[in-house]
Amino acid sequence: MGFDRLLGNDRLKENLHRSLKQGHISHFYLISGPIGSGKHTLARLLAAAILCQGEDKPCLSCPACRKVTGMLHPDLITVEDPEHKNVAVKIVRQFREDVFIRPNEAEYKIYLFPQELGTEGQNALLKILEEPPSYAVFILLTDNPEKLLPTVRSRCTELSLTSLQENTLRSALSGQFPDASSDAVNAAIARSGGFLGQAIQILSGADALLPQTERFAQCFAEKDALGIVQTLVPMEKWKRDALLPALEQWLDILTQALSQRSGIPAVSPAAGRIGTQRSGPEIMAAVTHIRKCADFARQNVSPAAICNYLSWHLRSI
């Protein structure tokens, strides 16, 4: 069945498949799980199943399923607000007016909320959840269902995604990253918490280090104070929007190195070298200084001042 495209979560998929086959469709689904757990995948499969014209829903081959897969179905509406962390209440109110327009071509009209709602937005949504039209279906995604108002959550059918077994993760990662070493795959699995999306993100960034990050990691691992200074001097002329991502990458490398010292393998070889050659307190001291400088960059401190600060403090660790 089409739900097999979502890895793991077998009981959830079986329950959904059985419910949909019997024609039981909830007006409000809450899909919950950490980042990378498959919330967006499940939401799209669920929308396809509800709008599917085939026998085994979702068939993923009928015109309706293909439209949903391409996010082109006129009866699948995404409610989001890219300019804000939470969907603005005015956008929720606008969608609420659209709900009373009947579906274009399907039996149901689905509203997908991939973004978190604040308290005002939830209260605005609650007004339509209390008495929704018979054709309306709402799918809300959240990393933490505890953020929802009890009055909203009590009206939902909650679909909670769980972590994957190690062999499932390994098989999926080996297929997507055939050139990744077994050590890198093992490290990604260990650091992902069992969630494929997080493991993919970890492996995707493993070989994407800036040259300055590679140089910093080498010099810090070898206690090469002069090399660290020589790395930072040219960065004094960078703009803040270029400097901040570099500092965040340095923090990630050092965090991986700390994790390695506590028994969780590092994905990046550069982080592995630091974890092997420097002590925990030394790495933590560097993290403290670099984190402070990342905050400086967000507060519009000049790159030259930030690099001078790091040159002075990192060389003495």
Side-chain angles (χ1 to χ4, degrees):
M1 60 183 178
F3 284 113
D4 287 341
R5 290 196 178 184
L6 176 71
L7 296 181
N9 296 278
D10 293 335
R11 179 173 295 181
L12 181 151
K13 292 188 295 188
E14 289 170 6
N15 290 340
L16 261 183
H17 182 67
R18 182 171 56 253
S19 177
L20 291 167
K21 191 172 182 178
Q22 295 171 351
H24 299 157
I25 295 175
S26 172
H27 280 295
F28 178 26
Y29 292 95
L30 176 65
I31 301 178
S32 63
I35 294 173
S37 58
K39 294 189 296 295
H40 291 84
T41 298
L42 178 57
R44 194 167 299 189
L45 289 172
L46 177 57
I50 293 171
L51 300 176
C52 180
Q53 299 167 339
E55 291 294 327
D56 192 19
K57 305 178 185 296
C59 68
L60 301 181
S61 58
C62 70
C65 281
R66 290 199 298 270
K67 288 179 183 178
V68 171
T69 301
M71 297 302 288
L72 299 172
H73 200 294
D75 294 318
L76 174 59
I77 297 96
T78 301
V79 183
E80 57 186 347
D81 184 3
E83 296 182 0
H84 300 95
K85 180 180 179 182
N86 296 328
V87 179
V89 65
K90 65 178 182 180
I91 293 179
V92 179
R93 288 170 179 158
Q94 289 170 2
F95 114 81
R96 210 169 56 191
E97 296 175 3
D98 181 79
V99 170
F100 294 101
I101 301 174
R102 296 191 66 84
N104 287 275
E105 60 183 56
E107 184 179 353
Y108 292 95
K109 193 172 185 180
I110 301 172
Y111 293 88
L112 174 62
F113 293 79
Q115 192 176 347
E116 300 282 359
L117 296 175
T119 301
E120 289 187 354
Q122 291 181 52
N123 279 320
L125 175 64
L126 183 60
K127 292 183 179 181
I128 196 69
L129 292 177
E130 290 173 341
E131 293 185 27
S134 60
Y135 52 79
V137 176
F138 309 99
I139 302 176
L140 182 63
L141 277 55
T142 182
D143 297 340
N144 181 8
E146 299 299 328
K147 294 179 182 178
L148 294 181
L149 298 172
T151 48
V152 172
R153 192 174 177 185
S154 66
R155 287 171 167 78
C156 77
T157 297
E158 188 167 346
L159 307 175
S160 300
L161 292 164
T162 57
S163 58
L164 304 180
Q165 294 184 353
E166 183 175 329
N167 60 341
T168 303
L169 269 177
R170 189 179 307 282
S171 176
L173 292 174
S174 298
Q176 292 197 43
F177 299 91
D179 298 328
S181 68
S182 59
D183 287 344
V185 171
N186 290 338
I189 291 172
R191 295 174 61 84
S192 69
F195 297 105
L196 180 60
Q198 293 188 29
I200 289 173
Q201 185 175 17
I202 291 168
L203 276 180
S204 297
D207 299 321
L209 297 182
L210 294 167
Q212 292 79 9
T213 302
E214 290 276 13
R215 178 66 175 155
F216 161 75
Q218 178 184 351
C219 293
F220 185 76
E222 298 174 356
K223 296 188 178 182
D224 181 359
L226 178 59
I228 291 175
V229 173
Q230 290 173 335
T231 302
L232 285 163
V233 167
M235 296 172 68
E236 293 178 4
K237 299 179 180 179
W238 286 17
K239 293 183 178 180
R240 276 186 295 270
D241 58 2
L243 182 61
L244 181 56
L247 295 177
E248 289 174 340
Q249 198 171 76
W250 292 17
L251 281 172
D252 181 62
I253 289 293
L254 292 170
T255 301
Q256 286 191 48
L258 278 173
S259 297
Q260 176 167 297
R261 293 193 62 83
S262 65
I264 302 174
V267 176
S268 167
R273 289 193 297 272
I274 294 174
T276 301
Q277 297 176 238
R278 300 299 296 261
S279 69
E282 289 173 333
I283 299 171
M284 196 61 234
V287 166
T288 299
H289 291 307
I290 296 173
R291 185 174 289 148
K292 182 179 293 187
C293 286
D295 290 338
F296 288 160
R298 296 185 188 97
Q299 297 165 9
N300 296 327
V301 176
S302 73
I306 291 171
C307 292
N308 284 331
Y309 175 96
L310 283 177
S311 295
W312 178 261
H313 286 87
L314 292 182
R315 67 184 180 185
S316 61
I317 297 175

